[in-house]
Amino acid sequence: MSVIGLCSDHAGFELKEAIKRLLEARGLPYKDFGTYSSESCDYPDYAHMLAHAVEAGEVYPGIALCGTGNGIAITLNRHSGIRAALCWKGVLASLARAHNDANVLVLPARFISEEEAAGVIGLFLETPFEGGRHRRRIEKIG
Ligand code: RB5
């Protein structure tokens, strides 16, 4: 079973803790790359660590959080091996997997409840990549 990689900044810390409890309840292993408190910090520090670990195959997939999700998604997507998708509804997570083969789910911690996040995560983890025409498009991303 692959190990799920987690990271957040301070704005995502509490929801990341809730996600850890959710993963534990489902028996899913994870590695938490920080941050480890609600003290103000800079999201790129954690996004780069998670991105390197996903690219190295140490963890898969990743789940990343910041207040809006945008800062951490922008940072993650600077890495050529990362396809990070900002999702706040289940259908976005399903399509990010099915069409984009997203390897990091990004959640907007200040705009999503624990219950909503649980639903989004479930669909992200369960949905396979469709391949076919979507593979061609991903290859064109470069
Ligand atoms: C932190 O206040 C906030 O700017 C950060 O979590 C994120 O939303 C940035 O994109």
Side-chain angles (χ1 to χ4, degrees), residues 22-55:
L22 174 81
L23 297 178
E24 282 160 20
R26 293 188 187 182
L28 297 173
Y30 63 82
K31 179 170 179 178
D32 183 358
F33 291 86
T35 187
Y36 303 115
S37 78
S38 295
E39 190 177 330
S40 183
C41 64
D42 300 332
Y43 56 79
D45 297 339
Y46 305 96
H48 289 308
M49 276 195 280
L50 177 63
H52 288 307
V54 172
E55 287 182 313

mmCIF file of all heavy atoms in Angstrom, residues 22-55:
data_model
loop_
_atom_site.group_PDB
_atom_site.id
_atom_site.type_symbol
_atom_site.label_atom_id
_atom_site.label_comp_id
_atom_site.label_asym_id
_atom_site.label_seq_id
_atom_site.Cartn_x
_atom_site.Cartn_y
_atom_site.Cartn_z
ATOM 1 N N LEU A 22 -8.795 10.846 9.965
ATOM 2 C CA LEU A 22 -9.614 10.149 8.961
ATOM 3 C C LEU A 22 -8.830 9.009 8.310
ATOM 4 O O LEU A 22 -9.333 7.887 8.155
ATOM 5 C CB LEU A 22 -10.037 11.164 7.894
ATOM 6 C CG LEU A 22 -10.776 10.646 6.675
ATOM 7 C CD1 LEU A 22 -12.254 10.452 7.014
ATOM 8 C CD2 LEU A 22 -10.645 11.597 5.506
ATOM 9 N N LEU A 23 -7.580 9.277 7.934
ATOM 10 C CA LEU A 23 -6.754 8.256 7.283
ATOM 11 C C LEU A 23 -6.465 7.116 8.256
ATOM 12 O O LEU A 23 -6.494 5.942 7.875
ATOM 13 C CB LEU A 23 -5.454 8.874 6.755
ATOM 14 C CG LEU A 23 -5.618 9.936 5.662
ATOM 15 C CD1 LEU A 23 -4.256 10.511 5.256
ATOM 16 C CD2 LEU A 23 -6.338 9.396 4.439
ATOM 17 N N GLU A 24 -6.204 7.472 9.508
ATOM 18 C CA GLU A 24 -5.952 6.438 10.524
ATOM 19 C C GLU A 24 -7.184 5.542 10.680
ATOM 20 O O GLU A 24 -7.067 4.318 10.752
ATOM 21 C CB GLU A 24 -5.584 7.088 11.860
ATOM 22 C CG GLU A 24 -4.142 7.578 11.889
ATOM 23 C CD GLU A 24 -3.887 8.626 12.968
ATOM 24 O OE1 GLU A 24 -4.693 8.718 13.927
ATOM 25 O OE2 GLU A 24 -2.888 9.358 12.846
ATOM 26 N N ALA A 25 -8.361 6.165 10.704
ATOM 27 C CA ALA A 25 -9.604 5.392 10.861
ATOM 28 C C ALA A 25 -9.817 4.446 9.680
ATOM 29 O O ALA A 25 -10.416 3.381 9.823
ATOM 30 C CB ALA A 25 -10.794 6.341 10.995
ATOM 31 N N ARG A 26 -9.315 4.841 8.517
ATOM 32 C CA ARG A 26 -9.466 3.989 7.322
ATOM 33 C C ARG A 26 -8.280 3.046 7.134
ATOM 34 O O ARG A 26 -8.217 2.330 6.139
ATOM 35 C CB ARG A 26 -9.606 4.875 6.071
ATOM 36 C CG ARG A 26 -10.885 5.675 6.046
ATOM 37 C CD ARG A 26 -11.060 6.376 4.729
ATOM 38 N NE ARG A 26 -12.200 7.275 4.747
ATOM 39 C CZ ARG A 26 -12.596 7.993 3.699
ATOM 40 N NH1 ARG A 26 -11.951 7.902 2.558
ATOM 41 N NH2 ARG A 26 -13.629 8.791 3.794
ATOM 42 N N GLY A 27 -7.324 3.097 8.052
ATOM 43 C CA GLY A 27 -6.160 2.226 7.949
ATOM 44 C C GLY A 27 -5.223 2.592 6.817
ATOM 45 O O GLY A 27 -4.506 1.729 6.292
ATOM 46 N N LEU A 28 -5.213 3.858 6.423
ATOM 47 C CA LEU A 28 -4.367 4.297 5.308
ATOM 48 C C LEU A 28 -3.100 4.955 5.855
ATOM 49 O O LEU A 28 -3.180 5.939 6.601
ATOM 50 C CB LEU A 28 -5.130 5.295 4.431
ATOM 51 C CG LEU A 28 -6.393 4.723 3.751
ATOM 52 C CD1 LEU A 28 -7.172 5.830 3.059
ATOM 53 C CD2 LEU A 28 -5.998 3.636 2.758
ATOM 54 N N PRO A 29 -1.915 4.442 5.488
ATOM 55 C CA PRO A 29 -0.674 5.028 5.988
ATOM 56 C C PRO A 29 -0.388 6.391 5.359
ATOM 57 O O PRO A 29 -0.725 6.625 4.195
ATOM 58 C CB PRO A 29 0.390 4.002 5.578
ATOM 59 C CG PRO A 29 -0.193 3.251 4.438
ATOM 60 C CD PRO A 29 -1.683 3.296 4.596
ATOM 61 N N TYR A 30 0.233 7.256 6.135
ATOM 62 C CA TYR A 30 0.572 8.589 5.632
ATOM 63 C C TYR A 30 1.902 9.029 6.214
ATOM 64 O O TYR A 30 2.373 8.510 7.227
ATOM 65 C CB TYR A 30 -0.521 9.610 5.978
ATOM 66 C CG TYR A 30 -0.713 9.813 7.456
ATOM 67 C CD1 TYR A 30 0.116 10.664 8.195
ATOM 68 C CD2 TYR A 30 -1.713 9.130 8.145
ATOM 69 C CE1 TYR A 30 -0.051 10.826 9.554
ATOM 70 C CE2 TYR A 30 -1.885 9.287 9.506
ATOM 71 C CZ TYR A 30 -1.058 10.137 10.198
ATOM 72 O OH TYR A 30 -1.210 10.299 11.551
ATOM 73 N N LYS A 31 2.508 10.022 5.536
ATOM 74 C CA LYS A 31 3.681 10.705 6.080
ATOM 75 C C LYS A 31 3.370 12.192 6.070
ATOM 76 O O LYS A 31 2.974 12.742 5.036
ATOM 77 C CB LYS A 31 4.930 10.411 5.234
ATOM 78 C CG LYS A 31 6.163 11.120 5.745
ATOM 79 C CD LYS A 31 7.430 10.656 5.074
ATOM 80 C CE LYS A 31 8.627 11.444 5.639
ATOM 81 N NZ LYS A 31 9.903 10.995 5.039
ATOM 82 N N ASP A 32 3.553 12.829 7.196
ATOM 83 C CA ASP A 32 3.231 14.251 7.357
ATOM 84 C C ASP A 32 4.511 15.082 7.254
ATOM 85 O O ASP A 32 5.400 14.969 8.096
ATOM 86 C CB ASP A 32 2.559 14.455 8.722
ATOM 87 C CG ASP A 32 2.115 15.890 8.948
ATOM 88 O OD1 ASP A 32 2.343 16.747 8.073
ATOM 89 O OD2 ASP A 32 1.539 16.146 10.023
ATOM 90 N N PHE A 33 4.581 15.920 6.220
ATOM 91 C CA PHE A 33 5.761 16.754 5.996
ATOM 92 C C PHE A 33 5.659 18.114 6.696
ATOM 93 O O PHE A 33 6.495 18.978 6.474
ATOM 94 C CB PHE A 33 5.976 16.948 4.490
ATOM 95 C CG PHE A 33 6.396 15.674 3.790
ATOM 96 C CD1 PHE A 33 5.457 14.768 3.327
ATOM 97 C CD2 PHE A 33 7.742 15.382 3.617
ATOM 98 C CE1 PHE A 33 5.838 13.574 2.707
ATOM 99 C CE2 PHE A 33 8.139 14.199 2.999
ATOM 100 C CZ PHE A 33 7.191 13.297 2.544
ATOM 101 N N GLY A 34 4.655 18.295 7.539
ATOM 102 C CA GLY A 34 4.506 19.555 8.250
ATOM 103 C C GLY A 34 3.559 20.502 7.518
ATOM 104 O O GLY A 34 3.074 20.165 6.448
ATOM 105 N N THR A 35 3.310 21.593 8.105
ATOM 106 C CA THR A 35 3.784 22.158 9.334
ATOM 107 C C THR A 35 3.138 21.427 10.521
ATOM 108 O O THR A 35 2.112 20.757 10.338
ATOM 109 C CB THR A 35 3.511 23.667 9.379
ATOM 110 O OG1 THR A 35 4.120 24.228 10.532
ATOM 111 C CG2 THR A 35 2.028 23.982 9.406
ATOM 112 N N TYR A 36 3.711 21.595 11.685
ATOM 113 C CA TYR A 36 3.265 20.820 12.834
ATOM 114 C C TYR A 36 2.597 21.674 13.917
ATOM 115 O O TYR A 36 2.437 21.211 15.051
ATOM 116 C CB TYR A 36 4.445 20.043 13.415
ATOM 117 C CG TYR A 36 5.097 19.133 12.383
ATOM 118 C CD1 TYR A 36 6.400 19.359 11.953
ATOM 119 C CD2 TYR A 36 4.386 18.070 11.809
ATOM 120 C CE1 TYR A 36 6.985 18.542 10.995
ATOM 121 C CE2 TYR A 36 4.961 17.253 10.847
ATOM 122 C CZ TYR A 36 6.264 17.488 10.449
ATOM 123 O OH TYR A 36 6.835 16.683 9.493
ATOM 124 N N SER A 37 2.208 22.906 13.583
ATOM 125 C CA SER A 37 1.485 23.743 14.540
ATOM 126 C C SER A 37 0.750 24.838 13.755
ATOM 127 O O SER A 37 0.915 24.950 12.537
ATOM 128 C CB SER A 37 2.450 24.401 15.537
ATOM 129 O OG SER A 37 3.097 25.502 14.930
ATOM 130 N N SER A 38 -0.032 25.633 14.484
ATOM 131 C CA SER A 38 -0.758 26.741 13.853
ATOM 132 C C SER A 38 0.066 28.019 13.803
ATOM 133 O O SER A 38 -0.450 29.088 13.445
ATOM 134 C CB SER A 38 -2.065 27.002 14.614
ATOM 135 O OG SER A 38 -2.924 25.898 14.486
ATOM 136 N N GLU A 39 1.338 27.934 14.150
ATOM 137 C CA GLU A 39 2.224 29.109 14.095
ATOM 138 C C GLU A 39 2.462 29.500 12.638
ATOM 139 O O GLU A 39 2.693 28.633 11.775
ATOM 140 C CB GLU A 39 3.554 28.758 14.764
ATOM 141 C CG GLU A 39 4.463 29.949 14.997
ATOM 142 C CD GLU A 39 5.728 29.525 15.731
ATOM 143 O OE1 GLU A 39 5.661 28.552 16.514
ATOM 144 O OE2 GLU A 39 6.757 30.169 15.508
ATOM 145 N N SER A 40 2.434 30.791 12.376
ATOM 146 C CA SER A 40 2.548 31.289 11.003
ATOM 147 C C SER A 40 3.831 30.785 10.332
ATOM 148 O O SER A 40 4.908 30.794 10.923
ATOM 149 C CB SER A 40 2.539 32.821 11.021
ATOM 150 O OG SER A 40 2.588 33.304 9.695
ATOM 151 N N CYS A 41 3.682 30.342 9.092
ATOM 152 C CA CYS A 41 4.830 29.805 8.347
ATOM 153 C C CYS A 41 4.596 30.062 6.858
ATOM 154 O O CYS A 41 3.589 30.659 6.472
ATOM 155 C CB CYS A 41 4.988 28.312 8.628
ATOM 156 S SG CYS A 41 3.578 27.330 8.048
ATOM 157 N N ASP A 42 5.529 29.612 6.029
ATOM 158 C CA ASP A 42 5.469 29.881 4.597
ATOM 159 C C ASP A 42 5.173 28.594 3.834
ATOM 160 O O ASP A 42 5.976 27.642 3.861
ATOM 161 C CB ASP A 42 6.813 30.459 4.124
ATOM 162 C CG ASP A 42 7.158 31.756 4.843
ATOM 163 O OD1 ASP A 42 6.223 32.469 5.261
ATOM 164 O OD2 ASP A 42 8.359 32.042 4.998
ATOM 165 N N TYR A 43 4.043 28.572 3.125
ATOM 166 C CA TYR A 43 3.608 27.325 2.468
ATOM 167 C C TYR A 43 4.622 26.739 1.487
ATOM 168 O O TYR A 43 4.686 25.510 1.343
ATOM 169 C CB TYR A 43 2.236 27.509 1.789
ATOM 170 C CG TYR A 43 2.160 28.640 0.796
ATOM 171 C CD1 TYR A 43 2.666 28.511 -0.485
ATOM 172 C CD2 TYR A 43 1.582 29.861 1.146
ATOM 173 C CE1 TYR A 43 2.599 29.557 -1.388
ATOM 174 C CE2 TYR A 43 1.515 30.904 0.259
ATOM 175 C CZ TYR A 43 2.031 30.757 -1.010
ATOM 176 O OH TYR A 43 1.985 31.800 -1.896
ATOM 177 N N PRO A 44 5.458 27.531 0.787
ATOM 178 C CA PRO A 44 6.389 26.881 -0.151
ATOM 179 C C PRO A 44 7.353 25.906 0.533
ATOM 180 O O PRO A 44 7.762 24.910 -0.082
ATOM 181 C CB PRO A 44 7.147 28.050 -0.784
ATOM 182 C CG PRO A 44 6.223 29.212 -0.651
ATOM 183 C CD PRO A 44 5.547 29.005 0.672
ATOM 184 N N ASP A 45 7.722 26.181 1.776
ATOM 185 C CA ASP A 45 8.669 25.300 2.466
ATOM 186 C C ASP A 45 8.128 23.869 2.539
ATOM 187 O O ASP A 45 8.878 22.903 2.396
ATOM 188 C CB ASP A 45 8.944 25.818 3.885
ATOM 189 C CG ASP A 45 9.609 27.179 3.871
ATOM 190 O OD1 ASP A 45 10.217 27.543 2.843
ATOM 191 O OD2 ASP A 45 9.508 27.891 4.892
ATOM 192 N N TYR A 46 6.857 23.735 2.735
ATOM 193 C CA TYR A 46 6.226 22.420 2.886
ATOM 194 C C TYR A 46 5.830 21.849 1.531
ATOM 195 O O TYR A 46 5.943 20.637 1.302
ATOM 196 C CB TYR A 46 5.039 22.527 3.853
ATOM 197 C CG TYR A 46 5.517 23.133 5.143
ATOM 198 C CD1 TYR A 46 5.391 24.500 5.386
ATOM 199 C CD2 TYR A 46 6.193 22.355 6.068
ATOM 200 C CE1 TYR A 46 5.904 25.067 6.538
ATOM 201 C CE2 TYR A 46 6.711 22.918 7.223
ATOM 202 C CZ TYR A 46 6.566 24.281 7.448
ATOM 203 O OH TYR A 46 7.097 24.844 8.573
ATOM 204 N N ALA A 47 5.383 22.716 0.640
ATOM 205 C CA ALA A 47 4.989 22.251 -0.697
ATOM 206 C C ALA A 47 6.190 21.634 -1.422
ATOM 207 O O ALA A 47 6.065 20.582 -2.060
ATOM 208 C CB ALA A 47 4.442 23.425 -1.507
ATOM 209 N N HIS A 48 7.353 22.267 -1.325
ATOM 210 C CA HIS A 48 8.533 21.719 -2.014
ATOM 211 C C HIS A 48 8.930 20.361 -1.429
ATOM 212 O O HIS A 48 9.302 19.446 -2.167
ATOM 213 C CB HIS A 48 9.708 22.690 -1.933
ATOM 214 C CG HIS A 48 9.524 23.923 -2.785
ATOM 215 N ND1 HIS A 48 9.201 23.859 -4.134
ATOM 216 C CD2 HIS A 48 9.628 25.252 -2.497
ATOM 217 C CE1 HIS A 48 9.104 25.089 -4.623
ATOM 218 N NE2 HIS A 48 9.352 25.943 -3.652
ATOM 219 N N MET A 49 8.836 20.217 -0.124
ATOM 220 C CA MET A 49 9.182 18.918 0.490
ATOM 221 C C MET A 49 8.251 17.821 -0.010
ATOM 222 O O MET A 49 8.691 16.718 -0.360
ATOM 223 C CB MET A 49 9.088 19.007 2.027
ATOM 224 C CG MET A 49 10.319 19.565 2.678
ATOM 225 S SD MET A 49 10.311 19.223 4.447
ATOM 226 C CE MET A 49 9.213 20.508 5.027
ATOM 227 N N LEU A 50 6.957 18.119 -0.034
ATOM 228 C CA LEU A 50 5.997 17.117 -0.510
ATOM 229 C C LEU A 50 6.226 16.816 -1.984
ATOM 230 O O LEU A 50 6.212 15.650 -2.402
ATOM 231 C CB LEU A 50 4.559 17.605 -0.282
ATOM 232 C CG LEU A 50 3.475 16.664 -0.804
ATOM 233 C CD1 LEU A 50 3.510 15.319 -0.084
ATOM 234 C CD2 LEU A 50 2.092 17.304 -0.672
ATOM 235 N N ALA A 51 6.462 17.848 -2.774
ATOM 236 C CA ALA A 51 6.667 17.651 -4.215
ATOM 237 C C ALA A 51 7.869 16.741 -4.467
ATOM 238 O O ALA A 51 7.801 15.812 -5.277
ATOM 239 C CB ALA A 51 6.865 18.998 -4.899
ATOM 240 N N HIS A 52 8.963 16.979 -3.767
ATOM 241 C CA HIS A 52 10.156 16.130 -3.945
ATOM 242 C C HIS A 52 9.839 14.679 -3.579
ATOM 243 O O HIS A 52 10.285 13.750 -4.260
ATOM 244 C CB HIS A 52 11.314 16.653 -3.087
ATOM 245 C CG HIS A 52 11.907 17.930 -3.598
ATOM 246 N ND1 HIS A 52 12.344 18.093 -4.898
ATOM 247 C CD2 HIS A 52 12.144 19.116 -2.978
ATOM 248 C CE1 HIS A 52 12.820 19.320 -5.063
ATOM 249 N NE2 HIS A 52 12.704 19.961 -3.919
ATOM 250 N N ALA A 53 9.078 14.485 -2.517
ATOM 251 C CA ALA A 53 8.771 13.118 -2.065
ATOM 252 C C ALA A 53 7.848 12.399 -3.053
ATOM 253 O O ALA A 53 8.008 11.204 -3.296
ATOM 254 C CB ALA A 53 8.133 13.169 -0.675
ATOM 255 N N VAL A 54 6.890 13.117 -3.632
ATOM 256 C CA VAL A 54 6.023 12.500 -4.649
ATOM 257 C C VAL A 54 6.850 12.183 -5.892
ATOM 258 O O VAL A 54 6.756 11.090 -6.459
ATOM 259 C CB VAL A 54 4.831 13.422 -4.995
ATOM 260 C CG1 VAL A 54 4.052 12.880 -6.192
ATOM 261 C CG2 VAL A 54 3.907 13.585 -3.791
ATOM 262 N N GLU A 55 7.678 13.113 -6.310
ATOM 263 C CA GLU A 55 8.508 12.887 -7.511
ATOM 264 C C GLU A 55 9.470 11.715 -7.308
ATOM 265 O O GLU A 55 9.771 10.986 -8.259
ATOM 266 C CB GLU A 55 9.276 14.161 -7.868
ATOM 267 C CG GLU A 55 8.376 15.239 -8.474
ATOM 268 C CD GLU A 55 9.130 16.494 -8.870
ATOM 269 O OE1 GLU A 55 9.934 16.986 -8.056
ATOM 270 O OE2 GLU A 55 8.913 16.973 -9.993
#
